[in-house]
């Protein structure tokens, strides 16, 4: 099932609504409840990814309906219900073209936990953030000046510009927006046939 998501994507899984869905708390249910679910706007436009638990809450509250199921059953207090793999909001939500909050988590998500100098992929805890233009040289803390960086590259670069340290960014850092999110949704959906038709068009 689709619960195998790496660290870089874990940030996309929405907050679970604790306590709303009563489950027996077995390991099986735990895995099922954390499976990623694609969230579509009322217009079928993919807008987010959340954990199955949150998706079930949205369906039970009548905010969304299940479009696809993942083949698993959730055995809750008295009922067994099918776990959705794709849900669709019943009312259209305007998604502003805002960028996401600037945070360590979101920078690592944007850079897919990849050091932007040497390309190594590491767990979040093993990465640091690098100011491309060092803070000591008035570099700002912005989307365009912060990148995921491994510790060896960070030490090597020190208080230099990449060029001075003989280093090169693998790509230009940009703000994290809906376009980036959709790219990540596509990466996640590649292995899930039920997501494909909503993500590749
Ligand atoms: Zn590196």
């Amino acid at each position: 099932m689709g619960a195998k998501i790496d660290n870089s994507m874990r940030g996309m899984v929405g907050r679970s609504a604790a306590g709303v869905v009563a489950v027996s708390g077995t390991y099986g249910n735990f895995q099922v409840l954390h499976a990623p679910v694609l969230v579509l706007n009322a217009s079928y436009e993919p807008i987010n990814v959340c954990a199955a638990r949150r998706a079930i809450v949205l369906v039970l509250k009548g905010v969304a309906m299940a479009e696809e199921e993942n083949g698993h059953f959730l055995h809750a207090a008295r009922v067994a219900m099918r776990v959705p793999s794709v849900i669709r909001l019943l009312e259209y939500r305007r998604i502003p073209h805002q960028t996401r909050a600037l945070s360590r988590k979101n920078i690592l998500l944007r850079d897919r936990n990849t050091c932007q100098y040497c390309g190594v992929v590491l767990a979040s805890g093993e990465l640091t953030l690098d100011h491309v233009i060092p803070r000591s040289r008035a570099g700002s803390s912005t989307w365009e000046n912060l990148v995921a960086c491994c510790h060896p590259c960070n030490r090597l670069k020190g208080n230099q510009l990449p060029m001075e340290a003989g280093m090169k960014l693998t790509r230009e850092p940009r703000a994290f927006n809906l376009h980036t999110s959709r790219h990540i949704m596509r990466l996640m959906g590649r292995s899930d046939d039920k997501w494909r038709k909503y993500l590749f068009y």
Side-chain angles (χ1 to χ4, degrees):
M1 72 175 213
K4 276 176 261 146
I5 49 174
D6 68 40
N7 274 327
S8 65
M9 289 168 180
R10 201 151 279 166
M12 289 199 66
V13 176
R15 279 186 309 142
S16 61
V20 183
V21 178
V23 291
S24 53
T26 62
Y27 182 61
N29 267 343
F30 179 85
Q31 274 203 329
V32 166
L33 288 177
H34 286 77
V37 173
L38 182 65
V39 183
L40 307 174
N41 212 335
S43 57
Y44 288 91
E45 180 192 14
I47 50 173
N48 203 359
V49 175
C50 73
R53 181 175 192 142
R54 169 112 184 108
I56 290 167
V57 170
L58 292 175
V59 171
L60 291 178
K61 281 165 113 182
V63 174
M65 62 176 285
E67 287 289 334
E68 306 283 344
E69 287 153 355
N70 74 5
H72 285 87
F73 275 92
L74 171 71
H75 299 282
R78 272 179 219 87
V79 291
M81 74 175 279
R82 289 175 190 279
V83 178
S85 144
V86 178
I87 60 167
R88 185 169 63 91
L89 300 177
L90 295 178
E91 258 178 58
Y92 182 79
R93 269 191 219 173
R94 229 190 119 257
I95 308 296
H97 285 276
Q98 75 196 15
T99 52
R100 291 189 175 218
L102 180 69
S103 67
R104 173 186 153 82
K105 195 184 89 179
N106 280 340
I107 299 256
L108 296 183
L109 186 61
R110 178 197 65 185
D111 294 344
R112 277 174 249 143
N113 278 51
T114 308
C115 172
Q116 295 299 291
Y117 295 104
C118 72
V120 67
V121 178
L122 294 169
S124 300
E126 292 170 58
L127 284 163
T128 183
L129 295 187
D130 175 63
H131 283 78
V132 179
I133 301 169
R135 260 183 300 193
S136 59
R137 294 162 74 167
S140 54
S141 294
T142 57
W143 282 105
E144 292 78 13
N145 197 47
L146 282 169
V147 292
C149 185
C150 71
H151 287 285
C153 283
N154 195 240
R155 273 193 295 274
L156 191 67
K157 183 167 171 283
N159 283 323
Q160 307 171 90
L161 296 172
M163 214 177 65
E164 295 168 346
M167 298 164 80
K168 203 166 173 277
L169 283 168
T170 52
R171 60 175 187 164
E172 198 69 28
R174 297 227 175 98
F176 190 45
N177 53 30
L178 193 63
H179 180 77
T180 319
S181 307
R182 189 158 303 161
H183 181 68
I184 290 169
M185 287 192 274
R186 282 182 174 163
L187 286 177
M188 293 180 76
R190 212 173 264 172
S191 59
D192 192 328
D193 280 348
K194 294 188 169 156
W195 288 26
R196 290 186 69 92
K197 63 183 167 195
Y198 303 101
L199 290 169
F200 299 89
Y201 43 82

